[in-house]
Amino acid sequence: QDFLNFRDDLGTASGFESFQMREMENLMGQKWVDGKQFGKKLDSKQKSLYDVTCDWLYRTPIQGSTLGSDDDESSVNDFVDQYIQSHKAQYPETNKDVIDFFEVDKTVRRRRAGLLFIESYRSLPLLSWPRKLISKLIELEQAMVLWRSSHARMVERMIGRRIGTGGSSGVDYLDMTTKFRVFIDLWIVRSILVKKESLPTLINPEFYEFKGD
């Protein structure tokens, strides 16, 4: 049985989920529920996957303007304003969702503008790989959500609606965890996209093309 000793280092189940799952969630980043952060901010000296993703999106070239370049803030604001108007023309009843998405400090505003730019012009060569990465992050979180849902049904099958281990409310709490999101902006942006023909005119399109010798 010595060959099974590795299991001792993996940890045991605690509360509603395993040690391994909690470690995975910590690596992903702070959780959100219904647009609000859930629980205490993770105490870690290392950046989470969410933090790294935010830093990366913040550096996205928008309308050919790169972070730190002259008039970058003006270029970003022009793109956001034009997008809001384009969205209003197409979806006036939900236009406030776009306005709210960008009513944040300028750092988050640029990060979200970068995300929206990638999603909106994803067919451009320079943006095709970033768009694939965003999709993979969504797939990762979707897998986590499906795991939580499956785990809740397994617990309900085993102990019904009794109080869970650790004093939690059991299945009711597990069902609530299916609302957890880490990459909240990546989910929200899906609901504010406009049709391709309604997008703001692309400036400096050659910036996003493949370059050869």
Side-chain angles (χ1 to χ4, degrees):
Q1 300 296 321
D2 290 343
F3 67 92
L4 295 177
N5 288 342
F6 73 93
R7 296 181 302 181
D8 295 335
D9 296 327
L10 296 179
T12 57
S14 176
F16 77 95
E17 60 186 354
S18 70
F19 170 81
Q20 294 84 6
M21 180 59 72
R22 292 200 309 278
E23 285 294 297
M24 181 65 179
E25 289 184 327
N26 288 339
L27 290 173
M28 287 177 64
Q30 178 73 40
K31 294 186 285 290
W32 298 71
V33 177
D34 296 331
K36 298 180 181 179
Q37 285 192 324
F38 178 84
K40 297 180 180 179
K41 185 174 178 60
L42 300 177
D43 184 16
S44 174
K45 295 180 180 179
Q46 293 182 332
K47 286 189 175 182
S48 66
L49 182 56
Y50 171 80
D51 294 330
V52 173
T53 301
C54 287
D55 292 346
W56 167 63
L57 289 172
Y58 179 63
R59 299 191 300 270
T60 300
I62 298 172
Q63 293 288 36
S65 177
T66 56
L67 180 65
S69 62
D70 294 340
D71 298 324
D72 178 63
E73 185 173 351
S74 177
S75 297
V76 173
N77 288 336
D78 286 346
F79 168 70
V80 170
D81 292 342
Q82 291 173 25
Y83 191 92
I84 290 175
Q85 291 304 312
S86 297
H87 187 278
K88 184 178 182 179
Q90 190 170 354
Y91 304 109
E93 68 282 356
T94 59
N95 191 238
K96 190 176 184 302
D97 294 341
V98 189
I99 296 174
D100 291 345
F101 189 67
F102 287 109
E103 283 192 344
V104 287
D105 67 67
K106 64 180 182 180
T107 298
V108 179
R109 183 181 174 88
R110 196 191 195 290
R111 183 183 82 210
R112 289 182 171 181
L115 169 62
L116 181 62
F117 194 83
I118 292 172
E119 288 286 353
S120 298
Y121 302 96
R122 55 187 176 274
S123 61
L124 295 173
L126 192 63
L127 300 181
S128 60
W129 180 85
R131 176 52 166 72
K132 288 181 180 179
L133 179 57
I134 290 171
S135 294
K136 290 300 180 183
L137 291 172
I138 288 288
E139 288 178 21
L140 171 63
E141 185 142 47
Q142 179 181 346
M144 299 287 282
V145 173
L146 292 174
W147 183 90
R148 292 189 191 106
S149 179
S150 176
H151 184 67
R153 302 287 70 78
M154 181 273 292
V155 172
E156 185 175 15
R157 186 173 71 246
M158 297 295 293
I159 68 171
R161 292 278 168 174
R162 288 182 292 177
I163 297 297
T165 56
S168 73
S169 58
V171 173
D172 288 340
Y173 176 75
L174 294 179
D175 284 335
M176 186 273 290
T177 66
T178 62
K179 295 183 178 181
F180 285 171
R181 297 294 185 273
V182 173
F183 304 106
I184 184 169
D185 287 352
L186 274 59
W187 293 94
I188 293 176
V189 75
R190 299 293 205 272
S191 64
I192 63 172
L193 297 177
V194 298
K195 295 179 180 179
K196 186 176 181 179
E197 58 269 21
S198 300
L199 290 171
T201 302
L202 183 64
I203 301 175
N204 297 324
E206 65 280 359
F207 181 93
Y208 301 96
E209 299 295 333
F210 289 127
K211 292 180 173 60
D213 296 332

